[in-house]
Amino acid sequence: ANNCLLARKMVEQGVRFVQLYDWGWDSHGASPGEALDSGFLKKCKETDRPIAALILDLKQRGLLDETLIVWGGEFGRAPVSQDKDGRDHNPYGFTMWMAGGGVKRGYQHGETDEFGYLPINGAVSMPDLHATVLHLMGINEENLTYQFGGRKQTATNGLGHAVHEIIA
């Protein structure tokens, strides 16, 4: 909650990029009942109200339209575990959400199989996600370049394309 309040104050002062972290979502090595039920429920209860308040604060102050909020984690969670309790990483199917900053309100994009493992509809690659975020921030990723390994690089190196279906 403190981070969300601080983020709102920073946005009000014109800070262009704010990143918040909330630790403790990893479910490796914990008992499934604890990590997947009460552990995740506890994390959701700790973050849902502050995030909702941040969105409402930005909207009431007329800042939500120009502030892009992206909520996500490092990976999705696989429906299985290889050798311990908890859930393994899933790089193929995971949930993120966006609010404000030019995204369609209430729009849902993409779907995984019945196991929550593989995308079956509307897959978005990491380069696509990066290109979409940059597009929503008003940045042409082809113009955002840097030198690495003796050649010009971009954020997606031509592999990503903005997902226009989510853009308002």
Side-chain angles (χ1 to χ4, degrees):
N2 288 337
N3 284 344
C4 289
L5 182 59
L6 182 59
R8 192 255 299 155
K9 289 181 177 192
M10 292 172 76
V11 169
E12 283 180 313
Q13 294 300 311
V15 175
R16 294 183 46 94
F17 186 86
V18 179
Q19 187 167 0
L20 306 180
Y21 289 94
D22 184 68
W23 304 101
W25 291 90
D26 210 345
S27 62
H28 295 295
S31 67
E34 176 193 3
L36 300 179
D37 294 338
S38 63
F40 283 168
L41 183 61
K42 180 179 179 272
K43 292 304 296 177
C44 289
K45 284 182 178 180
E46 290 174 0
T47 59
D48 282 355
R49 290 181 67 190
I51 292 169
L54 172 62
I55 294 169
L56 184 60
D57 280 353
L58 292 172
K59 185 174 182 179
Q60 288 174 341
R61 289 164 172 75
L63 296 168
L64 186 59
D65 287 342
E66 62 187 54
T67 304
L68 176 63
I69 299 173
V70 180
W71 188 100
E74 61 175 344
F75 284 101
R77 289 291 169 214
V80 297
S81 179
Q82 291 175 342
D83 62 354
K84 54 188 163 194
D85 293 332
R87 301 276 295 273
D88 289 335
H89 287 159
N90 182 2
Y92 305 112
F94 51 96
T95 301
M96 298 183 76
W97 60 260
M98 297 175 156
V103 298
K104 286 182 186 172
R105 184 177 175 181
Y107 179 76
Q108 179 180 320
H109 186 86
E111 180 181 0
T112 59
D113 62 20
E114 65 271 21
F115 302 109
Y117 189 66
L118 293 173
I120 59 173
N121 181 17
V124 176
S125 68
M126 280 297 121
D128 289 344
L129 175 64
H130 294 155
T132 304
V133 169
L134 289 170
H135 176 83
L136 288 165
M137 293 174 67
I139 298 171
N140 179 341
E141 72 98 9
E142 293 298 324
N143 295 335
L144 182 64
T145 64
Y146 60 97
Q147 288 292 121
F148 181 77
R151 59 176 250 197
K152 187 167 78 169
Q153 305 282 324
T154 69
T156 67
N157 286 322
L159 300 174
H161 306 284
V163 182
H164 290 280
E165 294 89 348
I166 73 163
I167 299 171

